[in-house]
Amino acid sequence: SAKESGRNNYKFFEQSMNARAVQRQSVEVSLRRALERQEFVLHYQPKINLQSGTIVGVEALIRWQHPERGLLLPAQFVPIAEDCGLILPIGRWVLREACRQVQVWLDSGLRAVPVAVNISAVEFRHKSFLEAVALILKETDLAPRYLELELTESVLMHDADDSVPVLEALKAMGVRLAIDDFGTGYSSLSYLKRFPIDTLKIDQFFVRDIATNADDATIVRTIIGMGKNLKQRVIAEGVETHEQLAFLRAQQCEEGQGFLFSHPLSVENFALLLVTGIDGMRGDG
Ligand code: C2E
Ligand code: MG
Ligand code: MG
Ligand code: MG
């Protein structure tokens, strides 16, 4: 009967809810352990100047080297870490490790570039965030201009009035600020002017079809123009094809990041790339 099948559906729903809750709880336990056992690693993806082909920056992206499940991507554990508050210690680890690594490159005479770190809403809103950034810069002895913080548009626009003083304090410290996934978060243009932002990162969702979709092409062209007017650097995320690269160059987009240039790399492989440069991007190639 309908009633019975409804009951079965509910039962199924309840069971899968429980299964999910149990799974989340076990992930939470192993996340805590992962911190103690230092199972997190950073991978590094270069940011490229689209005219010269040189590496002008790098984004640090967290991975979890899970003892049984292998290398896990942020989508598999960052949301859970945000829900249970563990993103705070994990985020501190990411910041410290990224700053420490750039200082190692500087000390070893490599042409070091600024490192960008992704900051989640929970971290940005936490009262000790500014203090933590200042302390980590001091501990790692890194010049603040070598650190860039990537904040998504939705994080900044949620309570935009509260975001302004935090951004201003970070700016005063000398760190660089970027809006990540730009174009997806409905920024009000008046706030965009009030945020002391250095860089707009165009979301890969808009970049994907720029060569074939007129609307996406218009959106990307508009963001590039807006960045120029507001004196902000503009970087296109998710560049995968030569057609996308040609479009971005024609529109005078300064920088790009994506699989066309390099996937995120282990620390050793990224250091090699800093020395050798990106294949096919030298000269006018
Ligand atoms: P995001 O900051 O927007 O990072 C860009 C994501 O796109 C990365 O995925 C990167 O590997 C991927 N990507 C780069 N180039 C291409 C491309 O050409 N094509 C495609 N399809 N993808 C590309 P990843 O590493 O899985 O990170 C996903 C998201 O997880 C990041 O998005 C960021 O929001 C978050 N995340 C990463 N590391 C951290 C971290 O240390 N802390 C926090 N709070 N969040 C992080
Ligand atoms: Mg990012
Ligand atoms: Mg992004
Ligand atoms: Mg993203």
Side-chain angles (χ1 to χ4, degrees), residues 47-62:
K47 301 181 179 188
I48 309 298
N49 178 295
L50 296 182
Q51 301 304 327
S52 66
T54 49
I55 298 173
V56 290
V58 61
E59 179 172 5
L61 296 157
I62 194 169

PDB file of all heavy atoms in Angstrom, residues 47-62:
ATOM      1  N   LYS A  47      50.636  30.154 -10.666  1.00  0.00           N
ATOM      2  CA  LYS A  47      49.867  31.206 -11.336  1.00  0.00           C
ATOM      3  C   LYS A  47      50.811  31.815 -12.372  1.00  0.00           C
ATOM      4  O   LYS A  47      51.959  32.129 -12.050  1.00  0.00           O
ATOM      5  CB  LYS A  47      49.430  32.267 -10.322  1.00  0.00           C
ATOM      6  CG  LYS A  47      48.580  31.700  -9.206  1.00  0.00           C
ATOM      7  CD  LYS A  47      48.151  32.784  -8.227  1.00  0.00           C
ATOM      8  CE  LYS A  47      47.275  32.177  -7.130  1.00  0.00           C
ATOM      9  NZ  LYS A  47      46.661  33.202  -6.255  1.00  0.00           N
ATOM     10  N   ILE A  48      50.310  31.992 -13.584  1.00  0.00           N
ATOM     11  CA  ILE A  48      51.166  32.327 -14.717  1.00  0.00           C
ATOM     12  C   ILE A  48      50.841  33.718 -15.258  1.00  0.00           C
ATOM     13  O   ILE A  48      49.668  34.051 -15.399  1.00  0.00           O
ATOM     14  CB  ILE A  48      50.914  31.316 -15.877  1.00  0.00           C
ATOM     15  CG1 ILE A  48      51.011  29.870 -15.373  1.00  0.00           C
ATOM     16  CG2 ILE A  48      51.869  31.547 -17.039  1.00  0.00           C
ATOM     17  CD1 ILE A  48      52.354  29.500 -14.820  1.00  0.00           C
ATOM     18  N   ASN A  49      51.861  34.492 -15.556  1.00  0.00           N
ATOM     19  CA  ASN A  49      51.633  35.716 -16.320  1.00  0.00           C
ATOM     20  C   ASN A  49      51.375  35.312 -17.770  1.00  0.00           C
ATOM     21  O   ASN A  49      52.212  34.650 -18.391  1.00  0.00           O
ATOM     22  CB  ASN A  49      52.843  36.648 -16.225  1.00  0.00           C
ATOM     23  CG  ASN A  49      52.628  37.908 -17.056  1.00  0.00           C
ATOM     24  OD1 ASN A  49      52.526  37.849 -18.282  1.00  0.00           O
ATOM     25  ND2 ASN A  49      52.567  39.050 -16.399  1.00  0.00           N
ATOM     26  N   LEU A  50      50.220  35.694 -18.306  1.00  0.00           N
ATOM     27  CA  LEU A  50      49.797  35.165 -19.608  1.00  0.00           C
ATOM     28  C   LEU A  50      50.564  35.759 -20.783  1.00  0.00           C
ATOM     29  O   LEU A  50      50.580  35.188 -21.866  1.00  0.00           O
ATOM     30  CB  LEU A  50      48.293  35.374 -19.799  1.00  0.00           C
ATOM     31  CG  LEU A  50      47.392  34.619 -18.813  1.00  0.00           C
ATOM     32  CD1 LEU A  50      45.920  34.855 -19.118  1.00  0.00           C
ATOM     33  CD2 LEU A  50      47.704  33.123 -18.806  1.00  0.00           C
ATOM     34  N   GLN A  51      51.209  36.898 -20.592  1.00  0.00           N
ATOM     35  CA  GLN A  51      52.012  37.449 -21.679  1.00  0.00           C
ATOM     36  C   GLN A  51      53.416  36.841 -21.699  1.00  0.00           C
ATOM     37  O   GLN A  51      53.888  36.374 -22.730  1.00  0.00           O
ATOM     38  CB  GLN A  51      52.094  38.983 -21.586  1.00  0.00           C
ATOM     39  CG  GLN A  51      50.727  39.689 -21.646  1.00  0.00           C
ATOM     40  CD  GLN A  51      49.892  39.354 -22.891  1.00  0.00           C
ATOM     41  OE1 GLN A  51      50.429  39.118 -23.970  1.00  0.00           O
ATOM     42  NE2 GLN A  51      48.569  39.319 -22.731  1.00  0.00           N
ATOM     43  N   SER A  52      54.067  36.805 -20.529  1.00  0.00           N
ATOM     44  CA  SER A  52      55.465  36.343 -20.490  1.00  0.00           C
ATOM     45  C   SER A  52      55.588  34.846 -20.223  1.00  0.00           C
ATOM     46  O   SER A  52      56.620  34.247 -20.523  1.00  0.00           O
ATOM     47  CB  SER A  52      56.219  37.101 -19.398  1.00  0.00           C
ATOM     48  OG  SER A  52      55.709  36.753 -18.123  1.00  0.00           O
ATOM     49  N   GLY A  53      54.580  34.233 -19.655  1.00  0.00           N
ATOM     50  CA  GLY A  53      54.650  32.816 -19.319  1.00  0.00           C
ATOM     51  C   GLY A  53      55.386  32.524 -18.015  1.00  0.00           C
ATOM     52  O   GLY A  53      55.565  31.359 -17.651  1.00  0.00           O
ATOM     53  N   THR A  54      55.807  33.552 -17.316  1.00  0.00           N
ATOM     54  CA  THR A  54      56.537  33.298 -16.067  1.00  0.00           C
ATOM     55  C   THR A  54      55.584  32.995 -14.907  1.00  0.00           C
ATOM     56  O   THR A  54      54.433  33.426 -14.904  1.00  0.00           O
ATOM     57  CB  THR A  54      57.418  34.497 -15.662  1.00  0.00           C
ATOM     58  OG1 THR A  54      56.613  35.679 -15.740  1.00  0.00           O
ATOM     59  CG2 THR A  54      58.624  34.641 -16.562  1.00  0.00           C
ATOM     60  N   ILE A  55      56.123  32.244 -13.958  1.00  0.00           N
ATOM     61  CA  ILE A  55      55.354  31.931 -12.751  1.00  0.00           C
ATOM     62  C   ILE A  55      55.393  33.156 -11.842  1.00  0.00           C
ATOM     63  O   ILE A  55      56.466  33.628 -11.475  1.00  0.00           O
ATOM     64  CB  ILE A  55      55.952  30.704 -12.022  1.00  0.00           C
ATOM     65  CG1 ILE A  55      55.877  29.474 -12.936  1.00  0.00           C
ATOM     66  CG2 ILE A  55      55.219  30.446 -10.707  1.00  0.00           C
ATOM     67  CD1 ILE A  55      56.589  28.244 -12.379  1.00  0.00           C
ATOM     68  N   VAL A  56      54.213  33.676 -11.508  1.00  0.00           N
ATOM     69  CA  VAL A  56      54.167  34.895 -10.700  1.00  0.00           C
ATOM     70  C   VAL A  56      53.566  34.662  -9.319  1.00  0.00           C
ATOM     71  O   VAL A  56      53.494  35.570  -8.498  1.00  0.00           O
ATOM     72  CB  VAL A  56      53.368  36.014 -11.420  1.00  0.00           C
ATOM     73  CG1 VAL A  56      54.140  36.520 -12.628  1.00  0.00           C
ATOM     74  CG2 VAL A  56      51.983  35.516 -11.837  1.00  0.00           C
ATOM     75  N   GLY A  57      53.135  33.442  -9.074  1.00  0.00           N
ATOM     76  CA  GLY A  57      52.556  33.139  -7.769  1.00  0.00           C
ATOM     77  C   GLY A  57      52.261  31.664  -7.689  1.00  0.00           C
ATOM     78  O   GLY A  57      52.483  30.921  -8.654  1.00  0.00           O
ATOM     79  N   VAL A  58      51.767  31.242  -6.528  1.00  0.00           N
ATOM     80  CA  VAL A  58      51.430  29.828  -6.354  1.00  0.00           C
ATOM     81  C   VAL A  58      50.293  29.727  -5.344  1.00  0.00           C
ATOM     82  O   VAL A  58      50.216  30.509  -4.404  1.00  0.00           O
ATOM     83  CB  VAL A  58      52.666  29.019  -5.892  1.00  0.00           C
ATOM     84  CG1 VAL A  58      53.192  29.519  -4.553  1.00  0.00           C
ATOM     85  CG2 VAL A  58      52.360  27.532  -5.813  1.00  0.00           C
ATOM     86  N   GLU A  59      49.392  28.789  -5.604  1.00  0.00           N
ATOM     87  CA  GLU A  59      48.313  28.543  -4.644  1.00  0.00           C
ATOM     88  C   GLU A  59      48.574  27.238  -3.913  1.00  0.00           C
ATOM     89  O   GLU A  59      48.871  26.219  -4.539  1.00  0.00           O
ATOM     90  CB  GLU A  59      46.950  28.477  -5.353  1.00  0.00           C
ATOM     91  CG  GLU A  59      45.791  28.197  -4.382  1.00  0.00           C
ATOM     92  CD  GLU A  59      44.410  28.328  -5.023  1.00  0.00           C
ATOM     93  OE1 GLU A  59      44.334  28.553  -6.251  1.00  0.00           O
ATOM     94  OE2 GLU A  59      43.408  28.211  -4.277  1.00  0.00           O
ATOM     95  N   ALA A  60      48.506  27.294  -2.585  1.00  0.00           N
ATOM     96  CA  ALA A  60      48.651  26.088  -1.769  1.00  0.00           C
ATOM     97  C   ALA A  60      47.287  25.434  -1.626  1.00  0.00           C
ATOM     98  O   ALA A  60      46.310  26.098  -1.274  1.00  0.00           O
ATOM     99  CB  ALA A  60      49.204  26.454  -0.395  1.00  0.00           C
ATOM    100  N   LEU A  61      47.203  24.131  -1.926  1.00  0.00           N
ATOM    101  CA  LEU A  61      45.928  23.399  -1.872  1.00  0.00           C
ATOM    102  C   LEU A  61      46.097  22.179  -0.978  1.00  0.00           C
ATOM    103  O   LEU A  61      47.005  21.362  -1.186  1.00  0.00           O
ATOM    104  CB  LEU A  61      45.504  22.995  -3.283  1.00  0.00           C
ATOM    105  CG  LEU A  61      45.192  24.177  -4.223  1.00  0.00           C
ATOM    106  CD1 LEU A  61      45.340  23.785  -5.688  1.00  0.00           C
ATOM    107  CD2 LEU A  61      43.793  24.729  -3.946  1.00  0.00           C
ATOM    108  N   ILE A  62      45.239  22.066   0.011  1.00  0.00           N
ATOM    109  CA  ILE A  62      45.424  20.993   0.999  1.00  0.00           C
ATOM    110  C   ILE A  62      44.981  19.634   0.447  1.00  0.00           C
ATOM    111  O   ILE A  62      44.031  19.547  -0.327  1.00  0.00           O
ATOM    112  CB  ILE A  62      44.664  21.304   2.323  1.00  0.00           C
ATOM    113  CG1 ILE A  62      45.126  20.366   3.446  1.00  0.00           C
ATOM    114  CG2 ILE A  62      43.150  21.238   2.125  1.00  0.00           C
ATOM    115  CD1 ILE A  62      44.637  20.760   4.828  1.00  0.00           C
TER     116      ILE A  62
END
